[in-house]
Amino acid sequence: MNHLRNSFSLAYGSFRTVVALQGLVLAVFSACFADSLWQGFWAGLGTFALFVAGGAIFGFLPMALAFTPLYALLCAKGLANWLSSLLLGLTIAGVLCLHPALRLLMPLWLLDSALIALLTHWTYRHQLKEGYEQTPLWH
């Protein structure tokens, strides 16, 4: 249970970071093509809000219900590495995009899932490294 709780907090943090950064990039991109500063502000704000809402609706459930438990299992078995994390994220996104209505989202979901998986594993490794450095040598 500890691996699941830890994996969920790491994956959720990675999910928020990826969605917010991509929303910001798309917001700046859409604001650049506006006629005035005021229109650019509202276009950017609307794009950011739409992207974050879409990411929360379409991305949170696969992350919470599929990626997190499987990544926690990898961590518990000691099999979590860069390649297994990346393959897990890409597999989940690939399976979701098999549905014909979701195929247009495939490039974005593959990119998002790869970034979330790699960022989750990076934070997991960083946590392990900090944990080992903080424990005394005689334990």
Side-chain angles (χ1 to χ4, degrees):
M1 190 65 169
N2 189 25
H3 285 289
L4 185 61
R5 184 178 305 120
N6 188 30
S7 295
F8 180 77
S9 69
L10 295 176
Y12 182 65
S14 301
F15 171 77
R16 287 185 316 189
T17 303
V18 168
V19 168
L21 284 176
Q22 284 184 341
L24 181 65
V25 167
L26 289 175
V28 169
F29 184 75
S30 69
C32 289
F33 292 102
D35 293 333
S36 69
L37 183 63
W38 191 246
Q39 286 177 347
F41 171 75
W42 287 111
L45 185 64
T47 303
F48 181 77
L50 185 65
F51 192 81
V52 169
I57 292 169
F58 293 114
F60 180 76
L61 286 177
M63 184 272 309
L65 298 177
F67 178 76
T68 301
L70 293 173
Y71 187 75
L73 182 66
L74 286 175
C75 292
K77 300 286 183 182
L79 300 173
N81 59 32
W82 293 105
L83 182 63
S84 65
S85 302
L86 179 64
L87 289 177
L88 178 64
L90 291 176
T91 302
I92 292 169
V95 167
L96 288 173
C97 290
L98 288 176
H99 191 278
L102 300 175
R103 288 213 176 120
L104 290 175
L105 296 173
M106 186 177 235
L108 187 62
W109 275 9
L110 287 174
L111 176 67
D112 285 352
S113 64
L115 290 173
I116 290 168
L118 292 174
L119 190 57
T120 300
H121 186 66
W122 180 78
T123 53
Y124 173 73
R125 285 181 47 96
H126 187 68
Q127 255 187 0
L128 281 179
K129 187 176 170 185
E130 280 183 358
Y132 289 135
E133 288 175 358
Q134 292 175 356
T135 55
L137 294 176
W138 56 86
H139 280 270

